[in-house]
């Protein structure tokens, strides 16, 4: 029963994220090749092409890359918000005991890389990039663990997923607090009032995806114009989606039986269309099905494919294309700093903090996870990519000359982290030879 309820959905999640990681890698390679090819100018002009709405009294247009980074990524953050709410209420983060292990790892994985960055940085203009090495790309990370197959226990994948979700919470807070612009309090207050209204509806058990979409677009726009990055709106909006079903399984099965009997009794037309009784029964079936489904779970399920297979690859295609011919325009110090922070900051930070927390009995590590597992997954967590590039574009929005340097540091650091983490786990000893953390 536990395997059906938890493991199977989780394994499906891992499978989706793994394929997303492969698409992400392909999109990155295409972007790099395209940007450094004879058609590189086309690549750069494409993403700077203005798209929007222009009337006599209203104008709202943005470059295509900002529609992706501010618009599509808001949907990505909305999905993250749904995952965070699910994990905090019924998942791997819904109790102090469950959250302790990934929380400690995430703290080490965020704090130590930031400390490394600030200690190594000697340029005040690049100091704004301190948030870049905090993030972990769950798609790439889970893709590598999936390739390793039975070399890693399922509990390690659960840890990485929970860790990445805690990591995402930290990244969202950093974006909201440190990488937003000057704030228009009036617009922000209106947005908060609209969110409060949606939260009230959710508290009362009412949910309509049409109302949420209508309010969501307005809230996104208000956040954008208020100075708070609009992706934060995606996170906050997700928390307005109820997680509870309106009816339980027993009630649904009884109603399903009634619908089945009604369809059997309904008249059947000779024409290839439904009779009025059949239509009524189908409508009843849809109504009961909607009541039986968890709104959050249903929405998360429908969005996951779009985000994993479209939004994230498009983000990579638009953002990963950096010029790598020559180093005269690169800030080598920034590139090196980010590489060190992603590779050593994550590798040392996570494994060391987890080991210390285990020694002082602050956390419990599953019995099938060895210290070698922790060390390997700590380096794999150095794959920053999606979130790191996103934070980099925000950090250096006012100094774009550093963006390419940041991206190259992220790409190289993520690649080195992936190779080291893979090798540690791939050539790990058998379970009988492993030294379990004591």
């Amino acid at each position: 029963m536990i395997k059906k309820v938890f493991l199977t959905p989780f394994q499906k999640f891992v499978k989706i994220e793994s394929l997303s990681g492969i698409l992400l890698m392909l999109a990155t390679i295409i972007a790099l090749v395209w940007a450094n090819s004879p058609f590189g100018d086309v690549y750069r002009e494409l993403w700077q092409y203005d798209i929007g709405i222009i009337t006599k009294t209203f104008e709202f247009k943005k470059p295509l890359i900002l529609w992706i980074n501010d618009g599509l990524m808001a949907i990505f953050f909305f999905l993250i918000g749904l995952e965070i709410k699910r994990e905090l209420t019924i998942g791997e983060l819904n109790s102090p005991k469950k959250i302790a292990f990934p929380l400690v790892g995430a703290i080490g994985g965020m704090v130590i890389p930031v400390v490394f960055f600030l200690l190594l940085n000697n340029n005040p203009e690049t100091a704004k990039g301190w948030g870049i090495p905090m993030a972990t790309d769950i798609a790439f990370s889970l893709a590598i663990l999936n390739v390793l197959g039975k070399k890693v226990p399922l509990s390690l994948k659960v840890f990485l997923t929970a860790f990445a979700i805690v990591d995402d919470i930290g990244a969202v807070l950093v974006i909201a607090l440190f990488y937003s612009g000057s704030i228009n309090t009036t617009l922000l207050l209106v947005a908060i009032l609209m969110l409060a209204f949606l939260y009230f509806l959710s508290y009362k058990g009412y949910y309509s995806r049409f109302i949420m979409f209508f309010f969501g677009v307005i809230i996104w726009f208000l956040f954008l114009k208020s100075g708070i990055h609009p992706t934060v709106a995606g996170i906050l909006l997700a928390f307005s989606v109820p997680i509870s079903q309106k009816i339980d399984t027993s009630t649904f099965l009884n109603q399903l039986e009634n619908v089945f009997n009604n369809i059997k009794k309904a008249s059947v037309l000779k024409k290839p269309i439904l009779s009025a009784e059949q239509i009524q029964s189908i409508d009843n079936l849809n109504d009961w099905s909607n009541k039986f489904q968890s709104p959050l779970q249903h929405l998360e399920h429908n969005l996951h494919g779009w985000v994993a297979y479209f939004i994230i690859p498009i983000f990579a295609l638009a953002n990963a294309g950096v010029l790598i011919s020559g180093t005269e325009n690169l800030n080598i110090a920034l590139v090196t700093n980010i590489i060190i922070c992603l590779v050593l900051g994550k590798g040392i930070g996570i494994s060391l903090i987890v080991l210390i927390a285990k020694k002082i009995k602050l956390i419990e590590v599953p019995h099938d996870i060895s210290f070698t597992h922790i060390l390997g997954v700590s380096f794999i967590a150095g794959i920053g990519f999606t979130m790191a590039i996103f934070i980099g574009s925000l950090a250096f929005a006012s100094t774009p000359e550093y963006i390419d340097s940041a991206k190259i540091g992220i790409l190289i650091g993520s690649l080195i982290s992936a190779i080291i983490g893979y090798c540690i786990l791939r050539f790990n000893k058998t379970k009988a030879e492993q030294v379990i953390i004591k």
Side-chain angles (χ1 to χ4, degrees):
M1 186 65 174
I2 293 177
K3 186 174 181 180
K4 285 185 178 180
V5 173
F6 175 68
L7 295 187
T8 300
F10 177 76
Q11 288 165 341
K12 289 180 180 178
F13 171 82
V14 171
K15 185 177 181 181
I16 289 175
E17 292 294 341
S18 298
L19 181 54
S20 174
I22 295 171
L23 293 176
L24 201 55
M25 181 175 64
L26 291 175
T28 302
I29 293 172
I30 291 172
L32 287 169
V33 172
W34 188 0
N36 290 276
S37 73
F39 303 99
D41 289 340
V42 176
Y43 174 87
R44 286 174 282 277
E45 290 172 4
L46 171 64
W47 305 118
Q48 295 302 321
Y49 185 79
D50 284 338
I51 298 176
I53 301 171
I54 301 175
T55 66
K56 292 182 178 179
T57 57
F58 178 78
E59 179 177 319
F60 181 63
K61 62 180 182 179
K62 297 162 70 72
L64 180 57
I65 192 168
L66 290 185
W67 279 108
I68 294 170
N69 292 354
D70 293 351
L72 288 182
M73 288 301 284
I75 300 174
F76 167 73
F77 276 84
F78 178 73
L79 178 62
I80 287 178
L82 295 176
E83 293 172 350
I84 290 172
K85 182 174 181 178
R86 170 174 50 78
E87 293 297 332
L88 288 173
T89 51
I90 61 172
E92 287 301 298
L93 305 176
N94 73 331
S95 70
K97 185 177 179 181
K98 286 183 177 180
I99 199 175
F101 183 25
L103 176 61
V104 166
I107 291 173
M110 289 187 287
V111 173
I112 302 301
V114 171
V115 171
F116 272 36
F117 187 94
L118 294 176
L119 288 175
L120 295 172
N121 182 73
N122 55 11
N123 182 354
E125 291 187 348
T126 58
K128 295 179 292 184
W130 60 267
I132 294 173
M134 287 178 56
T136 294
D137 192 295
I138 190 172
F140 263 140
S141 302
L142 282 177
I144 291 176
L145 290 191
N146 213 38
V147 168
L148 288 163
K150 295 182 179 179
K151 292 291 292 184
V152 296
L154 182 62
S155 56
L156 192 65
K157 296 178 182 179
V158 174
F159 164 70
L160 179 61
T161 303
F163 160 87
I165 290 173
V166 175
D167 204 37
D168 285 338
I169 297 174
V172 169
L173 290 174
V174 167
I175 291 170
L177 297 174
F178 300 102
Y179 292 121
S180 294
S182 56
I183 299 175
N184 184 318
T185 53
T186 302
L187 295 179
L188 182 59
L189 180 60
V190 173
I192 291 173
L193 289 174
M194 296 181 75
L195 279 169
F197 175 70
L198 291 177
Y199 289 163
F200 176 76
L201 293 181
S202 177
Y203 174 74
K204 290 296 184 180
Y206 181 80
Y207 167 74
S208 168
R209 60 179 178 269
F210 302 108
I211 291 177
M212 189 195 66
F213 177 77
F214 176 76
F215 274 75
V217 171
I218 298 174
I219 291 169
W220 174 86
F221 182 79
L222 290 172
F223 265 74
L224 178 69
K225 292 300 183 181
S226 71
I228 301 292
H229 200 273
T231 51
V232 178
I235 289 279
L236 297 177
L237 189 64
F239 278 80
S240 72
V241 180
I243 196 170
S244 301
Q245 304 160 287
K246 290 186 177 180
I247 58 173
D248 58 20
T249 301
S250 177
T251 303
F252 178 71
L253 290 175
N254 290 334
Q255 295 301 328
L256 195 60
E257 186 176 357
N258 292 335
V259 170
F260 173 75
N261 292 330
N262 290 336
I263 291 177
K264 283 182 66 177
K265 295 175 184 177
S267 57
V268 180
L269 303 179
K270 294 181 179 180
K271 298 178 182 180
I273 57 175
L274 299 179
S275 65
E277 296 96 327
Q278 288 175 320
I279 292 175
Q280 182 62 47
S281 296
I282 294 297
D283 287 342
N284 290 338
L285 177 61
N286 289 332
D287 290 340
W288 288 113
S289 295
N290 288 334
K291 291 178 181 178
F292 183 56
Q293 294 181 99
S294 159
L296 184 144
Q297 184 184 41
H298 182 61
L299 196 54
E300 185 181 354
H301 175 74
N302 287 338
L303 281 178
H304 212 142
W306 281 101
V307 170
Y309 303 144
F310 176 72
I311 291 177
I312 296 303
I314 286 293
F315 172 83
L317 185 64
N319 287 274
V322 294
L323 285 171
I324 56 178
S325 56
T327 59
E328 61 276 2
N329 295 322
L330 293 180
N331 187 301
I332 301 301
L334 178 61
V335 173
T336 306
N337 193 353
I338 291 175
I339 293 172
I340 293 172
C341 292
L342 286 174
V343 179
L344 298 181
K346 290 284 189 180
I348 295 174
I350 299 170
S351 55
L352 181 61
I353 297 299
V354 167
L355 182 60
I356 293 173
K358 175 61 180 176
K359 291 295 183 182
I360 63 176
K361 302 187 183 302
L362 187 63
I363 61 172
E364 291 183 12
V365 177
H367 66 88
D368 57 347
I369 294 181
S370 69
F371 180 70
T372 307
H373 286 137
I374 297 295
L375 187 62
V377 85
S378 297
F379 278 99
I380 287 177
I383 305 173
F385 203 77
T386 305
M387 193 71 81
I389 289 177
F390 184 73
I391 293 177
S393 66
L394 298 180
F396 299 121
S398 58
T399 52
E401 62 270 20
Y402 296 120
I403 291 180
D404 279 359
S405 299
K407 289 180 180 179
I408 289 178
I410 293 166
L411 292 173
I412 297 175
S414 296
L415 178 61
I416 294 173
S417 295
I419 293 172
I420 295 175
Y422 175 84
C423 289
I424 290 174
L425 295 175
R426 174 66 180 81
F427 301 106
N428 188 21
K429 295 179 181 180
T430 61
K431 186 176 179 181
E433 299 172 312
Q434 290 173 1
V435 179
I436 304 299
I437 301 178
K438 295 181 180 179

